[in-house]
């Protein structure tokens, strides 16, 4: 047995030593699944498998980076002389890789544009108007979600449109126009990155064989979150050699609304005959009290394997429960408790960094985004540094404007990018002129307008030339200066100066792409920006020491994969968490997903959990009286300690 395996427990070793055939690893929260996959990959390499033949796929850039860093660090110590590395990426990045290598087969150019969520919704809004429909009645985001869900289920567009019901016909018509617009602009959305790569693998045998031979050992993380398209991608790539290892925790499936299918895990042994199953149940993250609460909560779900987490960690503090009068009282309690945590940390350690470190180890979780407002106000009132996860760096207007110049220079047919920047900074090009440009009818335009248009496209050509010859950071500096963005913001308001500072931060970020060959650096930056998730904003901000240490505010969904010493779970009221919309009665599977979501929230905590609910909460302008969440009742009373006045409704 290789030395690197000595740090694993028996079940982790069993998974790491498995080499041939299918393997299902059921890994509980905090059970060391990333460590296990890392050591399994290192073991394959030490046993003579080329890193080029190994693929590892996960769901977030953060998880992919963590896995890549661990593998590279271990390879340096354990596998001397290896130049190549395994291919480690998210599903969407894998889709981009396959599409780029086969762009001509898909009728795309090399520099296809990846639409982010807001850009995709903008095109759908235009498609709704083109269909003579009212965007207020047919809300673009809802239509986008319908299309995304059907694409995730690998549904054919025309088949969906012809289902016969009114909504399918309307959404199908918009979907059709949406696809046409994207095709004209050489653009793909997130769903296309999976759909098109899977269709290629399914329908083109030489392409499929190429990747099956390339990646003979496949690892899929968070397998419980795979939808139909991701399931197909996994099975198509592994069909030849059957060396597929999937890691899953059915108790953490929280994306059913996005198409995640629990059956992908439950049917794994049917799909892959002779599969070995390994259970990782030892938790290295949380205290015994936190785990006992989590186990008691989740055992009420029926659709799950028989699994119970245990730990050798200490018993730990009891779980605090606070009954608030209203959301303001709840926020005040959380803020004062955070100050208490910070004071205690400072008292225990006089090191200057102790307060900052305690801040970054605190998370406030909520079920719905609207809950953040009153919590943010409390953080400001008590002068507590905080960061809201979900405010993406790459979604800031000034960043999108800058990147649009780069994208448009590489792909001038990207009308969305042209529309965004052709009159920013102002060039005197109005909507009617823009319509003529898009209709390729510029002959009737005044000569001065033609000169402005020609100068704009000449600017794009100049930026493209720089992309081919200069480092990524220098390209951004050039684009910002030559476009006039720098001068526009420099001479503007305080907000404009802040936007310019953000662009300078983009230049700093781009330095890490400077090591790539000229145009490859810009291509990779644009790809990473398009695929950035909520959690990536944490990765980005943690590189900036000035804002690095702050309390994190986020939805429970966004917290998956993260962990903190102290976790506040707020808004534990019936109808809010578990969530119900407009008094609807949820199906059993929906109720189970809400319970899994609470389980995920509980298991983010290492040392201390705080639960809170409010008797009154104002939602959409109406104050409502609330009953405590059923989830609170699921936690044994001996694990709970009440904060403030004794909670009158739960444990009396």
């Amino acid at each position: 047995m290789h030395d690197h395996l000595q740090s694993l427990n028996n079940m982790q070793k069993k998974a790491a030593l498995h080499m041939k055939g299918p393997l299902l690893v059921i890994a509980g929260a905090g059970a060391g699944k990333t460590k296990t996959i890392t050591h399994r990959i290192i073991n394959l390499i030490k046993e003579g498998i080329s890193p080029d033949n190994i693929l590892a796929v996960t769901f977030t850039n953060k998880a992919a980076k963590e896995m890549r860093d661990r593998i590279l660090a271990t390879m340096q110590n354990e596998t001397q002389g290896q130049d190549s590395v395994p291919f480690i990426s998210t599903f969407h990045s894998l889709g981009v890789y396959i599409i780029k290598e086969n762009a001509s087969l898909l009728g795309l150019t090399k520099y296809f544009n990846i639409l982010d969520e807001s850009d995709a919704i903008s095109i759908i809004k235009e498609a709704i108007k083109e269909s003579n429909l009212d965007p207020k009645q047919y809300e673009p985001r809802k239509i986008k979600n319908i299309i995304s869900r059907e694409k995730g289920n690998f549904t054919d567009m025309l088949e969906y449109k012809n289902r016969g019901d009114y909504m399918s016909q309307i959404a199908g018509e918009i979907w059709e126009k949406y696809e046409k617009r994207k095709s004209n602009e050489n653009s793909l959305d997130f769903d296309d990155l999976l759909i098109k790569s899977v269709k290629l693998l399914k329908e083109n045998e030489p392409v499929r064989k190429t990747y099956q031979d390339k990646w003979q050992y496949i690892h899929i993380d968070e397998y419980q979150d795979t939808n139909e398209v991701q399931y197909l991608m996994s099975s198509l790539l592994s069909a030849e050699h059957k060396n597929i290892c999937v890691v899953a925790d059915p108790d953490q499936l929280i994306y059913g609304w996005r198409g995640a299918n629990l059956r992908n895990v439950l049917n794994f042994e049917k799909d892959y005959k002779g599969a070995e199953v390994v259970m990782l149940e030892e938790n290295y993250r949380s205290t015994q009290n936190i785990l006992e609460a989590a186990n008691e909560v989740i055992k009420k779900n029926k659709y799950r394997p028989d699994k119970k987490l245990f730990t050798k960690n200490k018993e730990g503090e009891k779980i605090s429960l606070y009954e608030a009068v209203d959301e303001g009282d709840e926020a005040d309690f959380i803020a004062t408790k955070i100050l208490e945590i910070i004071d205690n940390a400072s008292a225990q350690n006089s090191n200057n960094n102790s307060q900052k470190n305690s801040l970054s180890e605190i998370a406030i979780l909520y079920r719905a985004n609207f809950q953040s407002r009153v919590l943010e106000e409390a953080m400001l009132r008590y002068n507590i540094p905080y960061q809201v996860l979900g405010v993406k760096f790459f979604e800031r207007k000034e960043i999108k404007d800058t990147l649009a110049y780069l994208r448009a220079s590489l792909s001038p047919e990207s009308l969305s990018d042209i529309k965004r920047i052709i009159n920013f900074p102002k060039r005197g090009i109005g909507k009617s002129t823009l319509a003529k440009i898009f209709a390729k009818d510029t002959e009737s335009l005044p000569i001065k307008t033609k000169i402005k248009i020609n100068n704009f496209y000449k600017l794009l050509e100049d930026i493209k030339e720089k992309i081919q010859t200069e480092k990524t950071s220098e390209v951004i500096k050039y684009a910002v200066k030559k476009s006039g963005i720098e001068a526009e913001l420099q001479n503007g308001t305080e907000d404009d100066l802040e936007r310019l500072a953000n662009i300078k931060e983009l230049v700093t970020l781009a330095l890490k792409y400077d090591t790539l060959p000229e145009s490859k650096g810009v291509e990779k930056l644009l790809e990473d920006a398009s695929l950035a998730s909520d959690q990536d904003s944490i990765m980005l901000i943690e590189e900036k020491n000035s804002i690095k240490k702050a309390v994190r505010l986020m939805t429970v969904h966004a917290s998956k994969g993260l962990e903190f010493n102290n976790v506040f779970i707020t808004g534990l009221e019936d109808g809010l968490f578990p969530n119900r919309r407009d008094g609807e009665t949820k199906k059993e599977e929906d109720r189970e997903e809400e319970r899994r979501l609470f389980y995920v929230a509980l298991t983010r905590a290492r040392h201390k959990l705080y639960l809170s609910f409010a008797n009154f909460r104002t939602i959409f302008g109406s104050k409502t009286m609330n009953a405590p969440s059923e989830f609170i009742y699921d936690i044994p009373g001996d694990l709970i300690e009440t904060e403030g006045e004794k909670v009158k409704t739960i444990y009396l």
Side-chain angles (χ1 to χ4, degrees), residues 391-404:
V391 180
K392 299 181 188 176
F393 178 78
F394 290 114
E395 286 191 356
R396 296 177 185 272
K397 179 186 181 301
E398 60 274 16
I399 302 302
K400 292 188 73 169
D401 289 340
T402 304
L403 296 179

Side-chain angles (χ1 to χ4, degrees), residues 84 86 99 174 212 218 276 362 374 393 471 495 652:
S84 58
I99 291 169
I174 295 165
Q212 287 175 343
I218 295 171
E276 186 168 352
I362 299 171
V374 68
F393 178 78
K471 292 179 178 179
D495 287 343
L652 292 183

Side-chain angles (χ1 to χ4, degrees), residues 64-76:
K65 183 181 184 300
E66 181 184 354
M67 191 183 297
R68 188 181 300 110
D69 289 347
R70 287 197 192 189
I71 288 172
L72 290 177
T74 311
M75 281 179 69
Q76 286 176 352

Side-chain angles (χ1 to χ4, degrees), residues 612-636:
S612 60
F613 67 96
N615 288 316
F616 298 92
R617 187 176 298 273
T618 303
I619 301 177
F620 299 124
S622 300
K623 180 170 277 194
T624 58
M625 186 172 181
N626 310 297
S629 169
E630 64 186 79
F631 297 151
I632 298 176
Y633 294 92
D634 295 336
I635 300 174

Side-chain angles (χ1 to χ4, degrees), residues 494-536:
E494 285 288 325
D495 287 343
D496 288 335
L497 291 174
E498 186 178 332
R499 293 186 183 103
L500 185 58
N502 287 329
I503 293 174
K504 289 178 179 177
E505 185 61 32
L506 178 64
V507 174
T508 302
L509 172 67
L511 290 173
K512 70 179 182 179
Y513 299 90
D514 284 354
T515 56
L516 296 172
E518 284 73 36
S519 65
K520 297 291 182 187
V522 170
E523 286 179 52
K524 190 69 173 72
L525 169 63
L526 293 174
E527 178 187 324
D528 289 351
S530 297
L531 299 179
S533 67
D534 284 353
Q535 289 191 2
D536 296 324

Side-chain angles (χ1 to χ4, degrees), residues 563-588:
E563 56 186 76
F564 304 89
N565 286 343
N566 304 280
V567 173
F568 293 83
I569 306 175
T570 65
L572 282 166
E573 297 132 34
D574 185 47
L576 181 55
F577 199 2
N579 184 260
R580 272 191 296 277
R581 293 187 182 90
D582 302 324
E584 67 180 5
T585 304
K586 282 183 171 281
K587 301 175 186 173
E588 181 66 25

Side-chain angles (χ1 to χ4, degrees), residues 37 41 54-58 64 67-68 71 86-91 94 215 217-221:
I37 296 175
I41 290 172
I54 299 172
L55 170 69
V57 186
T58 186
M67 191 183 297
R68 188 181 300 110
I71 288 172
F87 192 101
I88 305 165
S89 79
T90 63
F91 270 107
L94 176 59
W215 297 313
Y217 292 83
I218 295 171
H219 304 75
I220 309 293
D221 193 13

Side-chain angles (χ1 to χ4, degrees), residues 126-145:
E126 290 175 10
I128 291 170
K129 291 178 179 177
E130 192 181 329
S131 300
N132 295 318
L133 298 169
D134 183 0
K136 291 181 180 178
Q137 182 179 358
Y138 299 94
E139 210 271 308
R141 187 175 294 277
K142 288 183 179 178
I143 298 292
K144 169 70 173 64
N145 290 341

